[in-house]
Amino acid sequence: MNLRQFILFLLIFCVSSTVLYSFQEQTSGDSSLDLAIPQTPATSQDSTLQNFEELNNVEVKEERLSTVLSQLISKSKKYAIDLSKIQLGLQEPLDTLEMMENIPEIRNAVNSLGQLVQDTLRQDNVRYIKGVLNLLEGVNAEVEKFEEIIDSRVSLIVSSGDKLNEIQQDSIFSLNEEILTIAPDLNMEIRFLQNQIIELKNEIFQQELILTRFQAQLNELYGKIITIGQYFRIRSKELNRRMWQKEANYIWEPRDPEFGSHKSTFEITKESFFANSTFVLYFLERNLVDLTFYFLLILTVGFLLKRNIWKIKNQKDFSQSIFAKTSSITKFPFIASFLIITPLFFVLFDRPPLAFNSGLSFAFAFFSSWMIGEFFPKPFKRIWWIFLPLSLIGPTLGVNWEQNYEERYLFLVVNFITILFGYFTYKSIQEKTFKGKQILLFLIGFMVLTQLFSLGANILGRASITKLFTITGITSFFRGISLYIFTNLVMQFFFLTLETKKSSDIISSFLDFKELEKRFLGILQLFAFGIWSYGILIHLGYFDIFYERVLNFLTEEYTLGNSTFTFGTILLFLVILLISSFLANSIAYFFSTFDQKNATSRKNRLGSSVLLIRLAVITVGFFIALTAAKIPLDRITIVLGALSVGIGFGLQTIINNLVSGIILAFERPIQIGDEIEVGINKGTVKEVGIRASKIQAYDGSEIVVPNGDLLSQSLINWTLSDKRRRVELIIGVAYDSDMKKVKEILTEVLNRENILKIPQPRVFMQNFGESSVDFRLLFWVGSMDIWLEMRSEVMTSIFEAFLENRIEIPFPKRDLYLKTIPSNWQEKVSNPNQEKPDDKSESQA
């Protein structure tokens, strides 16, 4: 070692010793460094570091120092990533603009409702209070939406603050300057982290100030909403309790001066109109997106109907017959679009004001008037237009805030007019026969009964009941008629759409509209009845009571043995099973129509595989029902064990057929559309079911064959590989016939268009019979659909050729047959070898 290398070694040794010695003192005297360096179990390397002065190996000392610094830098990088995530979370925009715009409007609405509480002289009614409560629930929903936004941001700020405190308390920020000077990169990183923590804490403080301000405003609004809601709920209970009691004098008694308001009906209607307009406008502003979507959907469906009508008119030769079945849509496409879409929004609009709901019901009935003549007799159409103004009772008198004495006489008149309306309607349709007669009779009966009840309640001084049932009876009649028209328009819309796509869609042209109507009309009618019933409960004010009682009944737990259950879980289980069964049958129907389109190509058909699809949908629905109903699987195993006992004793046949159906679905020996023979049954496969399959016989009857028979018996499938069919004929001729001539005639007859050339038609001399020589004809046709037709055509041609060429056809009971054929053929059959007329005249000459 030379002098230069020795000096360099001493220099490195001195610097390293000084650094590590100070580092050891820091670690032994300062606990912050212990936190900064990852704590690991004592190893030989740690003991070496503690006894650093005793080590003479410079390379080991430098390696240990490098390891500690790299760990510190790694931790600083991790904290930098954590701070970046916090910064990104805090930089997400807080939607304060919407709150700043909407909170003043909500405050105005709440203040307006608060003024109603202070007006103790106002005579409220049940329908009005119900409308106010609906509006109050809508306002409360807006406040809760903003509170959710604020709570979400508060949670983010709290978690961010906790994370910042955790990072700031780490010992990496307590390293002394002596260590930081050794690693300038680490020093720079720590200073950057400290500045970033300060900035983030300032940002958190600013956001906390903003959130505190909004939270205070929302808490104030929430308190007022609770107070106002409690007031009107108490008022509603009082009115409901007093509603069935005597509120005013009997109709024959002197007027009760304490009943109702002393304002005129016109004044009350005017004041209520402006107040309700305020509430409706507020509701429209809150639901502007939904309303825009509503009108856009109406326009879209209307233009779609116009487009379909134009396509059918210009592309279909039989457009008039299509338009005859869809005359309502064809004449008024946009009105039809409004009537098709509107029922959806009776249930989708969230807590609409009573005035809005009543106005929408009137519009629904008004636009239905153009369709009345398409579904009901003309006399009823005239009566409908005469009494249509009755539907204005709901959006006028029905939404008045107060009630007065004059309303009693107005409702008396309305009751009499409505009863006359029901009587004239019944007389006009009594002897008519039309599709919706039973529904119309039901609606007439319901309307007349409610009016008679209201009339009696009015006479006996029950003003609130009179108003409720009068408006409910009238509104339910007009809405019921409109919903009946709605169901028919939806089916017409489907039919028109399917007819439009017949030229391009591979499925629609094979859809049987009557079958489609049978499958889906019931669901539409159930939906329409649900909306109708919902409207009655809403107008009477009993929907919340009905909903709570049904909910309590469904959620109440019952004990059976060691098991607890609720009727809600049972109902949910059954509903999901019904939906899965409906979906399975509908999917099978649509795939079957697809198979009919591809009937010429067996490979492209799903056929019996539809059964697997049905089983898969039902199985998935079953397990979803179990999960939704929270039925434990161990109970199912018990049920399956019980079923296995039943299978062993009495269900072998059913299980056999079920398993056979699954085997048919996998092996696919038959497909929908195949021509098969099973025992004595012949026909076309129409359906491969879970237990049995349907075969449509050639005479039109449908044969139900258990799936087990399809596997256990000999099955002949004429279309398993292709649809070709070989035809065999036995033709007998007399012994004195020219056999070469006969064979030429038979060969020539088989040379025709629908007989396949490959395999080649063949003619064989088959047998020497007692009275004839039998020829055997074998030829192929391309499809099972025409083999009978071709067989008949070939036999007819052979018969005519034999007669023309004087070839005798021997047969028994000759004399009986001669009496049945035309007279000009009898001589030819009796003497086929006689000379032709030309030959005879030539021989005479």
Side-chain angles (χ1 to χ4, degrees):
M1 179 181 295
N2 55 28
L3 181 61
R4 183 177 179 181
Q5 291 176 343
F6 179 77
I7 294 173
L8 181 60
F9 173 81
L10 287 179
L11 181 61
I12 294 174
F13 177 81
C14 294
V15 172
S16 300
S17 300
T18 305
V19 171
L20 289 179
Y21 181 76
S22 62
F23 182 76
Q24 277 188 325
E25 287 181 346
Q26 183 68 24
T27 53
S28 61
D30 192 358
S31 61
S32 63
L33 187 56
D34 293 337
L35 295 173
I37 301 174
Q39 301 297 315
T40 59
T43 62
S44 60
Q45 188 176 18
D46 294 331
S47 61
T48 303
L49 183 63
Q50 293 173 1
N51 299 315
F52 179 76
E53 293 83 354
E54 300 177 0
L55 296 176
N56 296 318
N57 193 337
V58 179
E59 294 180 358
V60 173
K61 299 172 186 177
E62 293 180 349
E63 181 180 356
R64 181 58 181 162
L65 179 60
S66 175
T67 301
V68 172
L69 292 177
S70 64
Q71 291 175 352
L72 294 174
I73 293 174
S74 176
K75 180 177 287 191
S76 66
K77 295 294 184 182
K78 176 182 177 299
Y79 287 155
I81 294 173
D82 292 339
L83 293 178
S84 298
K85 291 179 180 180
I86 294 173
Q87 187 175 16
L88 289 175
L90 295 175
Q91 286 178 351
E92 290 183 4
L94 179 64
D95 196 3
T96 56
L97 181 61
E98 182 181 2
M99 287 190 283
M100 291 175 62
E101 293 177 352
N102 292 336
I103 285 179
E105 297 179 3
I106 295 175
R107 184 182 293 108
N108 292 334
V110 172
N111 291 335
S112 300
L113 294 173
Q115 293 177 2
L116 299 178
V117 175
Q118 299 173 1
D119 187 1
T120 57
L121 299 177
R122 187 184 65 259
Q123 297 289 330
D124 296 331
N125 57 67
V126 176
R127 285 174 57 84
Y128 163 70
I129 290 180
K130 181 62 180 176
V132 171
L133 287 175
N134 284 342
L135 179 63
L136 202 60
E137 289 177 1
V139 173
N140 188 38
E142 289 287 316
V143 174
E144 289 179 350
K145 182 181 72 173
F146 293 146
E147 284 187 342
E148 289 178 0
I149 296 174
I150 291 177
D151 290 342
S152 175
R153 181 50 65 96
V154 168
S155 299
L156 176 64
I157 288 176
V158 170
S159 61
S160 300
D162 293 341
K163 187 66 176 177
L164 288 177
N165 292 331
E166 180 184 349
I167 294 174
Q168 196 173 21
Q169 291 174 4
D170 196 286
S171 58
I172 193 175
F173 297 99
S174 302
L175 294 175
N176 56 28
E177 295 295 334
E178 191 174 353
I179 296 178
L180 293 178
T181 53
I182 301 173
D185 292 338
L186 177 62
N187 186 16
M188 186 181 300
E189 187 71 25
I190 291 175
R191 297 291 180 265
F192 175 77
L193 292 177
Q194 289 174 340
N195 294 332
Q196 196 171 11
I197 289 173
I198 295 173
E199 293 177 0
L200 290 176
K201 284 192 172 184
N202 291 333
E203 179 65 24
I204 288 175
F205 178 72
Q206 296 298 325
Q207 291 195 17
E208 285 177 343
L209 292 178
I210 297 174
L211 293 176
T212 302
R213 185 171 66 252
F214 282 114
Q215 188 67 57
Q217 297 177 7
L218 292 177
N219 289 337
E220 178 187 0
L221 292 174
Y222 192 69
K224 291 182 179 179
I225 290 172
I226 292 176
T227 303
I228 297 171
Q230 185 66 19
Y231 168 79
F232 280 107
R233 288 187 183 89
I234 294 173
R235 288 284 296 163
S236 178
K237 290 180 180 179
E238 292 177 356
L239 291 177
N240 283 324
R241 185 172 56 252
R242 288 169 18 199
M243 185 172 58
W244 297 94
Q245 301 175 359
K246 182 180 177 183
E247 299 176 282
N249 57 286
Y250 295 134
I251 200 69
W252 59 83
E253 293 179 345
R255 177 175 177 175
D256 184 0
E258 296 182 359
F259 171 74
S261 173
H262 296 285
K263 301 177 184 177
S264 65
T265 303
F266 177 77
E267 289 178 329
I268 294 175
T269 304
K270 183 175 67 173
E271 293 177 359
S272 301
F273 173 78
F274 288 110
N276 287 318
S277 299
T278 303
F279 294 152
V280 169
L281 289 175
Y282 176 78
F283 171 77
L284 296 179
E285 290 178 0
R286 300 278 73 74
N287 296 271
L288 186 60
V289 176
D290 293 339
L291 288 168
T292 304
F293 175 73
Y294 170 58
F295 286 111
L296 289 177
L297 190 58
I298 291 175
L299 292 177
T300 301
V301 174
F303 281 115
L304 180 62
L305 290 174
K306 289 283 289 183
R307 174 178 170 272
N308 291 342
I309 293 169
W310 179 85
K311 287 181 67 175
I312 290 176
K313 186 176 182 180
N314 291 275
Q315 298 178 6
K316 304 287 185 180
D317 297 332
F318 46 91
S319 59
Q320 294 304 321
S321 62
I322 298 176
F323 292 153
K325 297 179 181 179
T326 59
S327 56
S328 304
I329 289 179
T330 306
K331 293 178 182 178
F332 312 104
F334 285 98
I335 293 178
S337 174
F338 175 82
L339 296 177
I340 290 172
I341 301 301
T342 298
L344 301 175
F345 284 84
F346 277 120
V347 293
L348 292 182
F349 279 127
D350 186 24
R351 294 179 289 272
L354 188 62
F356 176 84
N357 204 358
S358 300
L360 190 61
S361 297
F362 170 73
F364 192 44
F366 178 75
F367 285 109
S368 298
S369 304
W370 275 266
M371 306 290 183
I372 290 294
E374 305 295 331
F375 302 99
F376 298 98
K378 290 185 178 179
F380 175 68
K381 180 181 179 180
R382 291 193 294 268
I383 295 173
W384 171 278
W385 278 105
I386 292 172
F387 290 94
L388 183 62
L390 284 174
S391 60
L392 285 170
I393 299 297
T396 52
L397 297 179
V399 295
N400 281 351
W401 286 19
E402 303 178 78
Q403 53 188 0
N404 61 0
Y405 202 83
E406 294 177 8
E407 278 191 354
R408 295 189 65 185
Y409 296 105
L410 286 176
F411 281 110
L412 278 175
V413 175
V414 170
N415 292 147
F416 281 115
I417 293 176
T418 307
I419 293 171
L420 286 176
F421 175 36
Y423 172 76
F424 289 139
T425 300
Y426 175 76
K427 294 296 290 183
S428 66
I429 66 170
Q430 185 178 8
E431 298 180 356
K432 303 289 184 181
T433 302
F434 54 95
K435 186 177 178 182
K437 183 176 181 179
Q438 296 301 321
I439 294 177
L440 183 56
L441 289 175
F442 170 77
L443 292 174
I444 291 172
F446 183 83
M447 179 180 67
V448 171
L449 287 176
T450 54
Q451 301 310 304
L452 290 174
F453 180 78
S454 301
L455 184 63
N458 198 353
I459 292 173
L460 297 177
R462 273 70 174 177
S464 298
I465 292 179
T466 299
K467 188 170 187 176
L468 279 177
F469 281 85
T470 299
I471 295 172
T472 300
I474 295 172
T475 304
S476 63
F477 176 81
F478 286 100
R479 181 179 288 189
I481 296 296
S482 302
L483 287 171
Y484 172 76
I485 294 174
F486 153 77
T487 59
N488 287 275
L489 289 178
V490 171
M491 297 311 302
Q492 288 187 14
F493 173 76
F494 285 158
F495 176 71
L496 194 68
T497 304
L498 294 175
E499 289 295 329
T500 305
K501 297 189 175 186
K502 271 189 175 182
S503 58
S504 58
D505 192 278
I506 62 174
I507 297 179
S508 62
S509 58
F510 286 87
L511 288 176
D512 183 2
F513 179 71
K514 291 298 182 182
E515 179 69 20
L516 202 66
E517 185 178 24
K518 183 176 69 174
R519 288 177 178 273
F520 294 101
L521 184 59
I523 298 176
L524 281 174
Q525 291 174 345
L526 183 63
F527 173 74
F529 180 75
I531 295 178
W532 185 77
S533 304
Y534 170 75
I536 291 176
L537 293 174
I538 286 293
H539 280 85
L540 291 178
Y542 291 128
F543 177 76
D544 292 336
I545 299 174
F546 175 80
Y547 177 78
E548 289 178 2
R549 290 185 177 180
V550 170
L551 186 63
N552 292 334
F553 172 75
L554 293 177
T555 55
E556 184 177 356
E557 291 188 352
Y558 298 88
T559 302
L560 183 63
N562 296 327
S563 303
T564 58
F565 68 94
T566 63
F567 286 105
T569 56
I570 296 175
L571 179 62
L572 181 62
F573 180 80
L574 295 176
V575 168
I576 295 177
L577 283 186
L578 287 175
I579 293 174
S580 62
S581 178
F582 172 77
L583 289 177
N585 293 330
S586 300
I587 290 172
Y589 169 71
F590 283 108
F591 278 122
S592 297
T593 57
F594 179 82
D595 277 351
Q596 292 180 22
K597 172 66 179 177
N598 297 276
T600 57
S601 177
R602 192 177 189 274
K603 294 181 179 180
N604 293 332
R605 278 186 276 156
L606 290 171
S608 56
S609 299
V610 176
L611 174 61
L612 295 178
I613 299 175
R614 292 179 63 185
L615 288 174
V617 173
I618 293 175
T619 304
V620 171
F622 177 74
F623 283 105
I624 291 176
L626 289 178
T627 305
K630 298 179 180 178
I631 299 177
L633 293 179
D634 55 348
R635 310 291 169 82
I636 301 300
T637 57
I638 297 174
V639 175
L640 293 177
L643 285 177
S644 63
V645 177
I647 292 170
F649 284 100
L651 301 178
Q652 299 98 330
T653 304
I654 296 176
I655 298 301
N656 177 36
N657 291 327
L658 174 61
V659 175
S660 298
I662 297 174
I663 294 173
L664 289 174
F666 278 104
E667 292 188 355
R668 305 179 71 180
I670 63 171
Q671 296 280 43
I672 295 175
D674 283 353
E675 305 288 339
I676 66 171
E677 294 182 24
V678 182
I680 61 173
N681 301 316
K682 301 178 182 180
T684 306
V685 179
K686 302 301 292 182
E687 179 183 346
V688 180
I690 297 176
R691 187 195 65 84
S693 300
K694 291 181 181 179
I695 300 175
Q696 186 172 19
Y698 298 123
D699 60 359
S701 62
E702 290 189 354
I703 306 170
V704 179
V705 181
N707 291 332
D709 293 345
L710 294 175
L711 291 181
S712 61
Q713 299 183 17
S714 297
L715 173 66
I716 300 174
N717 192 337
W718 292 99
T719 56
L720 181 60
S721 57
D722 56 47
K723 298 192 68 173
R724 296 185 301 169
R725 172 74 184 260
R726 195 190 72 172
V727 183
E728 179 180 0
L729 292 175
I730 303 296
I731 305 296
V733 297
Y735 274 91
D736 57 351
S737 302
D738 186 353
M739 299 305 167
K740 291 184 178 181
K741 183 67 174 177
V742 172
K743 189 170 184 179
E744 290 177 0
I745 291 172
L746 295 176
T747 303
E748 183 179 355
V749 169
L750 295 181
N751 186 18
R752 57 184 60 241
E753 181 180 355
N754 289 326
I755 294 178
L756 299 179
K757 302 301 186 291
I758 300 176
Q760 182 180 0
R762 305 298 297 270
V763 177
F764 300 98
M765 184 180 287
Q766 178 76 7
N767 188 31
F768 295 106
E770 295 181 358
S771 61
S772 65
V773 177
D774 297 334
F775 283 82
R776 184 186 185 194
L777 281 67
L778 300 175
F779 61 91
W780 290 79
V781 295
S783 174
M784 281 286 299
D785 301 331
I786 63 171
W787 81 274
L788 287 174
E789 179 183 350
M790 290 305 302
R791 185 177 186 274
S792 174
E793 183 180 333
V794 169
M795 293 182 65
T796 303
S797 301
I798 291 173
F799 187 74
E800 293 177 350
F802 280 2
L803 291 178
E804 183 179 354
N805 290 276
R806 305 298 190 271
I807 296 175
E808 183 180 359
I809 305 175
F811 51 87
K813 299 181 182 180
R814 181 188 187 89
D815 296 336
L816 180 61
Y817 173 72
L818 291 175
K819 294 178 181 180
T820 62
I821 64 175
S823 57
N824 61 331
W825 281 21
Q826 290 182 11
E827 183 179 357
K828 297 180 180 180
V829 175
S830 300
N831 188 14
N833 293 324
Q834 69 178 356
E835 295 180 350
K836 296 180 181 179
D838 294 340
D839 297 337
K840 184 177 180 181
S841 62
E842 183 178 359
S843 62
Q844 291 176 352

